[in-house]
Amino acid sequence: MNSRLFVEVGLMELIQSDVTVVGGGIAGVCAALAAARNGVRVALINDRSVLGGNASSEVRVHINGSAYHGISPSYYGREGGLVEELKLRLFRYNPLYNKKLMYSVSDAVLLDLVYAEPNIDLFLNTSIHETGMEGGRVAWVEGLQLASERKFRFESPYFIDCSGDGIVAYQAGAAYRRGREASSEFDESLAPEEADSYTMGDTILFQTREESFKVPFRRPDFAYDITKLSFFENLKKGLNSRALPRKLGNLGGLWWLEYGGQLDVIGDNEEITLELRKLVYGIWDYIKNSGEYDNVDHLILDYVCPIPGKRESRRFIGDYTLSQKDLTEKPPLPDAVAVGGWAMDLHAAKGIYDEAPATAFHFVPGLYNIPLRSLYARDVPNLLLAGRNISASHVAFGSTRVMATCGCMGQAVGTAAALCVGYGTDPALVGRDRVSELQARLLRDGQTIMGMREETDPYFTSGLTVRASSQRRYSNESGTETAPLDGGLCLVLPVCTDRAESVEIRVKNGGNSSEQLQVTVYGGERKETYIPGPELKRCSLDIAPGYDGWVQLELGCERPADDKVYLVLEGSAELSVYCNEDKPVGAVSFLYRPEYPARVRKWDKSICYRNMRPEQNMYAPGHVVNGYSRPYGLPNVWISARREEAGEPDWLELAFAEPKSLEELQLVFNSQLDLEHFDHPIGPLIKEYNILLTLADGSERLIEVRDNYLSLNKHKLDAERVTTIRLEFLATYGWPYYEVFAVKLYAPKA
């Protein structure tokens, strides 16, 4: 169809498009962008005046996801694709976003993305109130835009429900779940023994600000005196994961100030909202006027969100219901289209009034895949789903509900909808007959699908050579400080040879007697995670008093299943290991904490090492065309030598044995995927570079890129008879290396 039609029918305006997306949160924005960028006309409908849903200025929640606050057991856990682009754009235009300030700028970033896309027609302040069905399919939805007194009927062959509560799916009569399933239904150890109707509740966040003058506060008459409420004494004591903060200043709200899970979170919405307002103003009154807090005279209650952030309501049933074991055991899912990785974060049903802890974070072992079969309604053939309304059990939903994961699902269904339009087929059939094409499109657009790599066209790989100006050694030698080993540290080293025989680390004994360095070598079992598995070897070394130098650790093991060896180093407070703030890709250092499920915890330092035997060609230029765009077992990256060592500007060069036609070139740079959020420029990200194409007739074509801030850079070239591609790197955001995960080549369509 690829057309838009406005027809006034009485007082109703008819909007026709290829795909209608209902809901303008992160899932809906990503769904609309993905569909539109894949060439179809999209109507995007949102019932609020701004985009972003819970991430908007109206609700003010961070866009969290599979990186799990930067402590994911996958380490390189942040999502790719549109969610990655969105986070980088948010930082670019609004560096204070992650400090819970200036959310209005974030609203503008989302609007900017949507307004810049010519294939999207945006309808804000438009509430869907009726859904029309023909032959069991959604034929249209009708919406009211109250401020403009306009009525719309939206018609399209395919619909995507990203509305959170699933308003279209509900009105279409799609089957859904609500509440908590019994543990027996999906064999879930975290589910209750008997099913019930409890959901997670809502929260109203608020913003405080410090002024230069005293600001009084008077509690509104409708608000609670919280000292008279049942939870007050436990709150004062900081029990059950709920505690009033002692440091206030620019406070961004209290996530555990939650209510409504024991009610109908849709039908009782107004009652829940009023209760939360009573609580917010009551708690602020206590902070300001109880006399229990110092330095609050200059604090003002700057902003109270007008609507609650909702966590859970309806979950619609697809052809597959994602459950606890899909997250923990990770069975193969042939129609995988997105990833998650947040903990199974299950909140107490009665919220602030519950005697149980506010939430329980249940361990998820790193990235897991989400199948397309969970992202459409099984009984409404043309209706796709993304966000918190997908086909998942309550337990699995505790992980999938966070917004970055919802955005990944949005990109998946938006892309799937474009395929549906192109082939005139339905989502279930795309998942059955065209899933490889869907996955290929998603990978091309930067989507992360755990364990999947993008196959390079043999047209390019035949006779291809890849060279570079320099290459980083697989070592980290310049120790700038020492860290004691009384708490235990873990150095993880990827291995690309059949065996790992030995490696050297630098230690220091600051005591007056000999100290023992205890070394335990573990292997791992899953390439996407950094979790020690089976013990491979245990040994100890005597370190003489006053010794300060390198020692060789004998590994003597075959390469583990996850391509990594884990060296746990333990000793006394007098015995230390050298470290620095460098971050060699793949070679990760952790605090060793065996009491935690992952047995490791993130650390902001890197242990020094050198001379791994056999030698590991870990950062070779050829890795940029191996199909991976991030670490997976191995680092899958080319890294230059340090720039002060390299001398001339660094470069990568791809040369073809025969001239090639090149429609598009993509470059994937290192944007520190171990971070969930970032408040400073991403050091390794390449800021300035040139692309130099040499053609068969000897002529050259130069593309200069300055002030880049994205990790995935797409260049439409439409070049004929290319013999050489030379990439010249000129500047990063402060990193002494150039780091490139992928150079992706695409030929013109036949």
Side-chain angles (χ1 to χ4, degrees):
M1 184 185 300
N2 199 29
S3 64
R4 177 181 61 178
L5 177 64
F6 290 89
V7 179
E8 192 168 303
V9 183
L11 297 178
M12 186 82 68
E13 297 176 53
L14 177 62
I15 312 299
Q16 293 182 329
S17 58
D18 298 317
V19 178
T20 299
V21 179
V22 177
I26 299 302
V29 168
C30 289
L33 287 170
R37 289 180 180 182
N38 275 278
V40 300
R41 174 68 65 178
V42 178
L44 173 59
I45 307 164
N46 193 37
D47 61 356
R48 310 296 301 176
S49 58
V50 294
L51 297 170
N54 281 356
S56 72
S57 60
E58 293 184 312
V59 185
R60 303 191 175 195
V61 179
H62 280 344
I63 303 174
N64 292 322
S66 56
Y68 188 33
H69 287 318
I71 57 171
S72 167
S74 286
Y75 196 80
Y76 302 102
R78 194 171 76 242
E79 302 83 355
L82 286 170
V83 171
E84 166 78 343
E85 178 184 343
L86 176 57
K87 286 193 172 184
L88 292 171
R89 285 181 182 272
L90 285 172
F91 177 76
R92 166 77 166 184
Y93 293 105
N94 186 12
L96 293 177
Y97 171 78
N98 294 313
K99 298 183 185 297
K100 293 186 180 290
L101 301 172
M102 297 174 65
Y103 271 83
S104 58
V105 180
S106 303
D107 294 343
V109 170
L110 292 170
L111 287 169
D112 201 37
L113 272 168
V114 170
Y115 285 143
E117 179 48 62
N119 278 339
I120 298 177
D121 295 306
L122 176 61
F123 298 84
L124 295 173
N125 298 306
T126 304
S127 297
I128 298 303
H129 65 89
E130 188 173 353
T131 297
M133 304 293 290
E134 293 180 7
R137 304 170 69 87
V138 179
W140 49 262
V141 297
E142 289 185 359
L144 295 173
Q145 196 176 62
L146 292 178
S148 63
E149 299 181 356
R150 298 170 72 184
K151 297 180 181 180
F152 301 100
R153 173 173 286 192
F154 300 91
E155 293 182 352
S156 62
Y158 302 97
F159 291 79
I160 305 176
D161 192 334
C162 301
S163 65
D165 290 336
I167 184 64
V168 177
Y170 177 71
Q171 293 176 354
Y176 65 93
R177 297 176 177 274
R178 194 171 189 163
R180 304 186 295 187
E181 295 84 7
S183 58
S184 59
E185 184 167 358
F186 296 106
D187 190 21
E188 295 178 309
S189 63
L190 299 178
E193 186 174 338
E194 295 184 3
D196 58 42
S197 61
Y198 289 162
T199 64
M200 299 186 211
D202 298 358
T203 292
I204 285 182
L205 294 176
F206 56 92
Q207 184 82 47
T208 66
R209 190 179 76 243
E210 191 165 4
E211 294 287 0
S212 60
F213 49 87
K214 290 186 178 182
V215 183
F217 178 79
R218 178 183 174 86
R219 174 167 54 90
D221 291 341
F222 70 79
Y224 284 129
D225 175 354
I226 68 162
T227 64
K228 298 178 180 179
L229 298 180
S230 60
F231 58 78
F232 176 69
E233 287 303 320
N234 284 342
L235 187 62
K236 280 190 67 176
K237 297 173 185 176
L239 299 179
N240 295 331
S241 311
R242 304 177 187 96
L244 291 170
R246 303 309 303 180
K247 293 183 179 180
L248 295 163
N250 291 317
L251 180 65
L254 303 168
W255 63 267
W256 45 259
L257 208 165
E258 179 177 351
Y259 181 74
Q262 76 278 33
L263 304 177
D264 178 347
V265 293
I266 297 174
D268 297 325
N269 179 73
E270 297 307 308
E271 175 187 339
I272 293 167
T273 301
L274 176 57
E275 182 72 9
L276 288 168
R277 287 181 179 141
K278 291 178 179 180
L279 289 165
V280 165
Y281 288 102
I283 281 179
W284 185 246
D285 172 57
Y286 179 77
I287 290 172
K288 284 285 288 187
N289 299 321
S290 67
E292 295 291 327
Y293 285 83
D294 298 326
N295 303 315
V296 296
D297 288 346
H298 292 247
L299 291 181
I300 184 172
L301 186 59
D302 187 47
Y303 182 86
V304 176
C305 295
I307 57 175
K310 189 176 289 186
R311 291 184 175 88
E312 180 181 10
S313 54
R314 307 180 182 111
R315 289 168 281 113
F316 292 86
I317 300 175
D319 279 335
Y320 190 88
T321 300
L322 204 70
S323 65
Q324 179 181 339
K325 288 187 175 180
D326 293 302
L327 280 57
T328 57
E329 298 180 7
K330 309 183 192 181
L333 297 170
D335 58 333
V337 290
V339 293
W342 188 260
M344 289 174 283
D345 179 4
L346 303 176
H347 286 223
K350 297 178 183 178
I352 189 70
Y353 293 102
D354 208 304
E355 295 182 359
T359 192
F361 291 98
H362 299 281
F363 180 66
V364 168
L367 293 175
Y368 59 83
N369 280 330
I370 299 171
L372 181 63
R373 285 169 294 158
S374 295
L375 305 182
Y376 56 78
R378 71 180 183 189
D379 45 4
V380 184
N382 65 332
L383 179 59
L384 293 127
L385 310 164
R388 57 184 175 83
N389 59 2
I390 71 160
S391 183
S393 71
H394 172 81
V395 171
F397 164 84
S399 173
T400 63
R401 65 187 176 87
V402 290
M403 282 184 283
T405 303
C406 293
C408 289
M409 294 187 277
Q411 180 167 0
V413 297
T415 308
L419 276 178
C420 289
V421 171
Y423 289 107
T425 190
D426 287 334
L429 297 179
V430 167
R432 188 189 73 186
D433 302 331
R434 300 189 181 277
V435 70
S436 295
E437 184 177 352
L438 172 59
Q439 291 166 335
R441 285 200 189 188
L442 288 167
L443 292 171
R444 178 169 179 163
D445 290 336
Q447 179 87 313
T448 302
I449 305 175
M450 189 264 290
M452 190 167 291
R453 71 175 180 176
E454 189 173 0
E455 297 295 333
T456 304
D457 191 334
Y459 172 74
F460 292 113
T461 57
S462 177
L464 175 66
T465 59
V466 184
R467 300 188 307 130
S469 55
S470 65
Q471 179 180 328
R472 178 175 181 168
R473 297 190 303 274
Y474 189 42
S475 65
N476 182 29
E477 300 182 35
S478 302
T480 57
E481 58 186 294
T482 59
L485 291 176
D486 53 338
L489 297 171
C490 180
L491 170 62
V492 189
L493 294 174
V495 180
C496 61
T497 55
D498 291 338
R499 291 182 58 81
E501 298 295 351
S502 65
V503 69
E504 295 179 12
I505 63 170
R506 188 179 175 190
V507 300
K508 179 178 180 179
N509 183 353
N512 297 319
S513 60
S514 180
E515 298 289 342
Q516 274 206 337
L517 171 62
Q518 303 288 340
V519 182
T520 309
V521 182
Y522 295 92
E525 298 177 333
R526 299 197 64 97
K527 295 181 188 294
E528 76 276 7
T529 60
Y530 278 71
I531 302 176
E535 181 179 319
L536 304 179
K537 185 175 183 178
R538 187 184 293 262
C539 64
S540 62
L541 288 81
D542 287 324
I543 308 299
Y547 183 79
D548 187 341
W550 294 91
V551 296
Q552 182 169 296
L553 306 182
E554 300 298 332
L555 306 178
C557 63
E558 295 183 353
R559 181 170 62 181
D562 74 341
D563 297 332
K564 299 182 284 285
V565 292
Y566 301 76
L567 311 180
V568 173
L569 311 172
E570 297 173 284
S572 65
E574 288 74 24
L575 190 61
S576 58
V577 64
Y578 276 86
C579 57
N580 58 28
E581 294 185 351
D582 200 352
K583 296 289 181 183
V585 179
V588 170
S589 298
F590 288 106
L591 302 172
Y592 179 64
R593 299 293 183 265
E595 64 270 23
Y596 292 107
R599 298 209 286 175
V600 287
R601 276 297 177 261
K602 193 170 183 179
W603 189 39
D604 60 357
K605 309 294 181 185
S606 294
I607 295 171
C608 293
Y609 68 94
R610 71 178 189 186
N611 292 340
M612 192 167 185
R613 295 288 181 263
E615 186 175 353
Q616 307 291 311
N617 192 19
M618 200 60 69
Y619 301 131
H623 294 158
V624 299
V625 292
N626 71 1
Y628 289 107
S629 295
R630 64 171 54 214
Y632 180 68
L634 299 175
N636 301 312
V637 67
W638 166 73
I639 305 179
S640 72
R642 289 182 71 94
R643 276 181 287 160
E644 59 265 33
E645 298 173 7
E648 296 296 321
D650 273 290
W651 48 265
L652 269 172
E653 186 176 271
L654 287 73
F656 305 110
E658 300 289 339
K660 303 295 181 183
S661 297
L662 184 60
E663 178 194 51
E664 184 177 16
L665 170 71
Q666 293 188 8
L667 306 175
V668 184
F669 302 141
N670 182 6
S671 58
Q672 289 191 262
L673 296 170
D674 56 307
L675 303 176
E676 177 85 86
H677 305 292
F678 24 90
D679 294 314
H680 303 283
I682 298 173
L685 197 60
I686 295 176
K687 183 179 182 180
E688 298 179 2
Y689 62 95
N690 294 334
I691 302 171
L692 182 64
L693 303 181
T694 302
L695 308 183
D697 63 2
S699 62
E700 294 182 336
R701 178 176 166 188
L702 176 64
I703 300 168
E704 297 179 332
V705 179
R706 304 294 182 265
D707 206 26
N708 170 60
Y709 60 93
L710 297 174
S711 56
L712 174 60
N713 288 260
K714 299 180 179 182
H715 297 278
K716 292 286 188 181
L717 300 177
D718 296 321
E720 301 289 337
R721 299 185 59 76
V722 177
T723 59
T724 304
I725 305 169
R726 188 180 180 94
L727 308 170
E728 298 175 340
F729 304 107
L730 307 176
T732 68
Y733 284 89
W735 210 242
Y737 306 94
Y738 294 109
E739 302 183 349
V740 180
F741 281 123
V743 178
K744 304 197 292 183
L745 310 170
Y746 301 98
K749 295 179 181 177

